[in-house]
Amino acid sequence: MLEHLRSLPASLKLRSAGDSTSFTVLPSHDDHALWMQKMDITPFDFSYLSSLLGQAFKDWTSQKDSVPGGPIAAYSVWNTEGECIEDSGQITDSDINVRSMVLECAEKEQTLSRHGISKHGEYLLIAEPLFSRINKDIFAVFVALVFESHRSETSEAVVRSEALHYRTCFYRRFEYIFMTDLLHSHEQTAREEHRRSILFQIVQRMHDKMDVGAILDEVFVSMDYLYPSTHIMLYMSQDQRSFNPRIKPLLIQERGEDICVRSFMEGRLIVSRADELDKRIIEVGLPLKGKQGIYGVFHIEMNEELMEDSDLQLIAMMADTAGTAFENAKLHEQSHMLIQELRVINDLTQRLNKSLQLMEIYQFSEQEFKNIFQADYCCILQLNDSTNRFEVMATNVKEIRNRTYPADSGIAGYMYQTEEPLIISDYTQFDKVTSSFMELTGAMSLIAAPIRVDGQVKSAILLAHVREHFFSYENYRLLQMLSIHLGLALTNATLHAEVRRLANLDMLTGLYVRHYLDNIIHERQAHDYCGSLVVVDIDQFKQVNDTFGHQTGDQVLKQVSDIVTSSVRAEDICARWGGEELAIYMPQIGIQQALVYAERIRTRVEAETRPSVTVSSGIAEWNWMDEKVSVESLFYRADMALYSAKNGGRNRIVIEEQEGIR
């Protein structure tokens, strides 16, 4: 068996059950010096070899029918240094000098016998060297005591047989210890491989995440999986918003010099042990740190019996990985916030220069502000000066879309009066005003800011979250800055909308101008299936101007324009085509339907104008099956129909190249 051990790895450790002593099996020659190396024994320490020899002696004696008995009075086993390991009695009596004989036997490596007389009578002492199986190196001496009164011719043979039996028991015990420790080493290796595999998976999952909260949750989940009976808390040193009950602030002044404060201040792992009831508890302080600083400290309590040094190393590596991942996620979070701030300003500016549409700015701002502040709900309101009410322009809360509120009510009304931004950490503790926005959403936290247009509060933006204390002071400050940019965008968009409105309207009649009508028809022809154009001309309008003056002529033109506008549908577009000519584009209706509206206009103009005038009209239509669809073609055909109506006697309607109808 001993020779077989040479084929094993040099680092293999063997140890007996209940014994912390170990020895290393080395590939070497089986001599006395290397025996001591194999058993990790110095020439001054044979404790482990003695233990193994003693256990083998007990195994041997348990297998014999009687010890002592027969011709042999007593047995004992000695190491090669002359130390008695075990005996069955009488051999170590002071009047029997055995040690010198054992040393001589070990030196000569041969069987020795010696006669003597003790207080028990004449005896024969036999020392039998014990050799290894193959190289025959001596490792112990087996001694037997035979009294002359019981001696026989076979006594020496019996002693030799018992010595070989004992050697067999020694090797069996050695093999048992070896196999036990080999199994233990295998289990230890398997556990270590399992730990490494788990650590690799944990590291991979942590570095895959860029969310601070998700990384910390991963630490707790991993610890709960690996060590279910362990109690772990994380004390953070900075303003880390978390609703995990196991994450708390590190209050250094209140905690004094406990293990968490020491671990945080020194930036290293600290372990302490204490007795609690009937078990020994390990308390661990482990810093959560990155390259730029220490962000907190893990406080871990566990049963010492369930924890090994390798477990502490695994936990320390997990904490180091978590610290690096936390720092990266924190930097990513900060850079992301900065990018979002710059991007929203840039995007608002681009939208302003691109379209200058108020609703686009409101809707875009609602989405961007909600994303930047990670809010659950957002609402942007605009003050209508004519009604003195706030109108909801953009929101993700369906219940309040298109609603209006008095200018002196709610959060928007409160800011309209104070002209100051607002932050609410807990809505249940806010007693200034009530808010349907907060109550409908069930939100608890809010930041809001007034939006100024031309120096006056004209709008308000509200951001809310269902959790208490969700928004920080940085969020509050950022919203104030962004609301200024939003106010500038709304100011420019409002001015632009007013300029465009005035540019598209005829100042006298209030109808659209011709180029606006051309653009609308062109857009409609790209998407609709059909449409009709009615061209209206006031008959003998020059005679009205000559008779009553141009001021009266303008009044008549305004009267006809009002009749035209009130006689058609809301979706129809009325425009001043030029001079005393008006045009009406009616989308998605045919020429016969347009004829009904044209006849209504003709009848009302003749009856309602003062001084009384009449109108002539020409109607043309288009549909998607026409060979050529264009604005110019449609106007040309309608104009030709009007020309026919004029030539046909006026005060009549003509449908493109068809016979007129009065």
Side-chain angles (χ1 to χ4, degrees):
M1 174 64 189
L2 295 175
E3 286 70 24
H4 294 166
L5 299 179
R6 292 197 184 93
S7 63
L8 297 174
S11 60
L12 180 61
K13 292 283 186 179
L14 303 181
R15 64 184 178 185
S16 62
D19 192 350
S20 61
T21 308
S22 65
F23 61 91
T24 307
V25 178
L26 298 174
S28 61
H29 297 292
D30 195 4
D31 56 22
H32 180 74
L34 292 180
W35 255 101
M36 292 188 293
Q37 286 183 328
K38 291 175 185 177
M39 299 181 181
D40 197 17
I41 299 170
T42 68
F44 306 99
D45 180 12
F46 286 84
S47 59
Y48 188 76
L49 177 58
S50 299
S51 175
L52 185 59
L53 291 171
Q55 293 175 22
F57 189 84
K58 293 177 181 178
D59 294 342
W60 173 74
T61 56
S62 66
Q63 296 177 21
K64 291 180 60 59
D65 294 335
S66 61
V67 177
I72 312 301
Y75 294 99
S76 65
V77 63
W78 300 67
N79 62 25
T80 57
E81 296 296 318
E83 179 185 356
C84 181
I85 306 304
E86 287 286 347
D87 78 285
S88 59
Q90 295 183 340
I91 292 182
T92 57
D93 289 349
S94 59
D95 58 346
I96 301 176
N97 186 7
V98 182
R99 187 174 185 276
S100 61
M101 185 178 177
V102 169
L103 293 174
E104 184 181 356
C105 177
E107 182 181 357
K108 295 181 178 181
E109 298 185 2
Q110 64 183 23
T111 304
L112 298 178
S113 61
R114 186 174 65 191
H115 293 273
I117 299 175
S118 70
K119 62 183 179 180
H120 298 290
E122 189 177 356
Y123 64 84
L124 174 64
L125 196 62
I126 302 173
E128 185 73 30
L130 300 177
F131 298 100
S132 61
R133 289 175 175 174
I134 295 179
N135 289 344
K136 306 304 181 184
D137 293 321
I138 187 171
F139 64 90
V141 177
F142 187 81
V143 180
L145 177 65
V146 183
F147 287 103
E148 289 293 341
S149 59
H150 295 88
R151 182 184 176 190
S152 67
E153 296 178 356
T154 60
S155 295
E156 289 80 355
V158 172
V159 172
R160 187 175 294 107
S161 175
E162 293 298 342
L164 292 175
H165 183 199
Y166 171 78
R167 189 181 70 165
T168 301
C169 292
F170 173 82
Y171 272 95
R172 186 179 296 113
R173 169 60 62 175
F174 187 85
E175 291 169 357
Y176 170 76
I177 295 174
F178 170 76
M179 295 307 297
T180 301
D181 210 74
L182 183 62
L183 179 61
H184 175 79
S185 299
H186 176 74
E187 293 175 349
Q188 194 80 357
T189 302
R191 285 198 299 269
E192 187 64 26
E193 290 179 356
H194 181 61
R195 288 193 185 103
R196 290 181 181 276
S197 175
I198 290 176
L199 179 62
F200 175 77
Q201 295 175 25
I202 293 172
V203 170
Q204 190 174 38
R205 288 198 299 269
M206 284 185 183
H207 285 294
D208 285 344
K209 294 178 172 62
M210 293 307 293
D211 178 75
V212 171
I215 291 173
L216 298 180
D217 290 341
E218 180 64 36
V219 175
F220 291 116
V221 171
S222 301
M223 284 293 296
D224 292 341
Y225 172 74
L226 292 173
Y227 309 103
S229 60
T230 297
H231 180 262
I232 179 171
M233 295 288 293
L234 174 60
Y235 296 96
M236 300 296 295
S237 63
Q238 56 181 234
D239 181 20
Q240 174 62 34
R241 188 169 56 219
S242 175
F243 294 89
N244 190 325
R246 292 195 283 188
I247 300 178
K248 298 182 180 298
L250 179 62
L251 305 176
I252 296 179
Q253 295 180 349
E254 297 181 6
R255 300 183 69 92
E257 293 294 326
D258 71 351
I259 191 172
C260 293
V261 174
R262 286 165 46 214
S263 177
F264 175 78
M265 299 299 292
E266 299 176 18
R268 63 181 181 88
L269 170 69
I270 297 180
V271 181
S272 67
R273 291 172 171 81
D275 293 324
E276 184 176 309
L277 299 177
D278 58 344
K279 57 184 178 180
R280 191 164 177 80
I281 299 299
I282 294 181
E283 187 179 10
V284 179
L286 190 59
L288 175 70
K289 61 181 180 179
K291 294 182 178 180
Q292 297 188 355
I294 301 175
Y295 304 99
V297 60
F298 289 104
H299 181 241
I300 305 171
E301 293 180 340
M302 65 191 78
N303 191 340
E304 186 176 20
E305 297 178 357
L306 305 177
M307 189 61 55
E308 300 178 0
D309 290 341
S310 58
D311 294 311
L312 288 176
Q313 294 174 4
L314 176 64
I315 294 173
M317 286 189 287
M318 285 175 51
D320 289 342
T321 302
T324 302
F326 178 89
E327 186 173 76
N328 292 339
K330 199 70 177 176
L331 292 173
H332 179 268
E333 186 180 81
Q334 293 173 355
S335 62
H336 182 68
M337 177 64 74
L338 179 60
I339 291 172
Q340 287 280 27
E341 293 175 12
L342 297 175
R343 185 165 64 86
V344 70
I345 297 173
N346 182 61
D347 287 347
L348 281 173
T349 304
Q350 287 184 355
R351 287 293 181 92
L352 180 64
N353 295 332
K354 183 178 180 180
S355 65
L356 295 177
Q357 298 296 317
L358 277 172
M359 287 308 301
E360 286 188 8
I361 293 176
Y362 280 125
Q363 293 171 2
F364 170 76
S365 300
E366 182 260 322
Q367 289 292 333
E368 284 298 308
F369 276 71
K370 186 165 65 70
N371 293 336
I372 288 174
F373 296 97
Q374 298 180 2
D376 289 333
Y377 308 103
C378 178
C379 179
I380 302 178
L381 304 97
Q382 180 181 359
L383 181 65
N384 188 325
D385 292 328
S386 60
T387 61
N388 198 33
R389 296 176 67 88
F390 277 104
E391 299 175 349
V392 177
M393 306 303 294
T395 183
N396 63 331
V397 183
K398 296 181 180 179
E399 292 81 359
I400 62 174
R401 286 177 182 170
N402 302 321
R403 279 195 183 183
T404 63
Y405 299 94
D408 58 352
S409 69
I411 300 294
Y414 180 78
M415 289 191 298
Y416 179 67
Q417 295 174 356
T418 63
E419 298 187 0
E420 295 292 336
L422 180 67
I423 180 170
I424 300 176
S425 298
D426 185 356
Y427 178 68
T428 59
Q429 303 299 318
F430 184 73
D431 57 359
K432 302 296 183 182
V433 293
T434 59
S435 170
S436 60
F437 172 67
M438 298 293 286
E439 292 171 359
L440 284 173
T441 59
M444 300 301 293
S445 301
L446 175 134
I447 49 175
I451 301 173
R452 289 177 171 80
V453 177
D454 293 333
Q456 296 182 343
V457 176
K458 294 295 182 180
S459 299
I461 180 168
L462 286 65
L463 294 161
H465 199 281
V466 295
R467 295 176 180 173
E468 300 175 1
H469 304 278
F470 181 80
F471 298 108
S472 64
Y473 175 76
E474 286 73 19
N475 298 144
Y476 174 74
R477 178 188 56 78
L478 175 61
L479 181 61
Q480 294 182 59
M481 181 181 67
L482 294 181
S483 65
I484 296 174
H485 291 276
L486 180 57
L488 293 174
L490 294 177
T491 299
N492 292 338
T494 302
L495 292 175
H496 182 266
E498 181 64 18
V499 170
R500 288 193 61 183
R501 187 185 71 83
L502 295 176
N504 292 329
L505 291 179
D506 177 69
M507 298 303 296
L508 175 62
T509 63
L511 303 179
Y512 289 108
V513 295
R514 179 171 178 173
H515 70 83
Y516 178 80
L517 181 63
D518 290 346
N519 293 334
I520 293 296
I521 295 176
H522 182 74
E523 292 176 4
R524 288 286 189 167
Q525 287 181 335
H527 301 94
D528 294 348
Y529 293 98
C530 63
S532 297
L533 178 66
V534 179
V535 179
V536 178
D537 182 77
I538 301 176
D539 296 330
Q540 297 178 337
F541 185 70
K542 184 177 182 304
Q543 185 176 347
V544 173
N545 284 330
D546 293 342
T547 303
F548 301 100
H550 286 83
Q551 185 175 3
T552 301
D554 290 344
Q555 293 175 357
V556 169
L557 185 59
K558 184 69 171 63
Q559 294 176 38
V560 174
S561 299
D562 292 341
I563 292 172
V564 168
T565 303
S566 61
S567 298
V568 298
R569 303 172 302 171
E571 60 267 32
D572 296 334
I573 297 96
C574 303
R576 184 177 181 183
W577 199 24
E580 68 273 18
E581 293 180 337
L582 309 179
I584 309 133
Y585 178 71
M586 298 181 172
Q588 301 287 40
I589 66 172
I591 199 168
Q592 295 299 325
Q593 294 172 291
L595 177 60
V596 175
Y597 289 103
E599 178 61 23
R600 182 186 302 168
I601 293 170
R602 189 194 66 78
T603 304
R604 288 185 59 190
V605 167
E606 185 177 12
E608 297 177 13
T609 52
R610 294 293 182 272
S612 179
V613 294
T614 60
V615 294
S616 300
S617 300
I619 306 176
E621 69 173 348
W622 71 272
N623 63 66
W624 64 278
M625 297 181 64
D626 291 344
E627 181 177 352
K628 182 179 180 181
V629 176
S630 67
V631 177
E632 294 78 8
S633 173
L634 184 64
F635 270 107
Y636 176 78
R637 289 183 280 117
D639 193 41
M640 290 298 99
L642 175 62
Y643 182 76
S644 298
K646 288 285 188 179
N647 290 337
R650 300 184 180 87
N651 195 21
R652 54 194 295 119
I653 302 170
V654 172
I655 300 174
E656 49 177 333
E657 299 183 358
Q658 295 183 14
E659 189 175 351
I661 300 177
R662 214 178 217 324

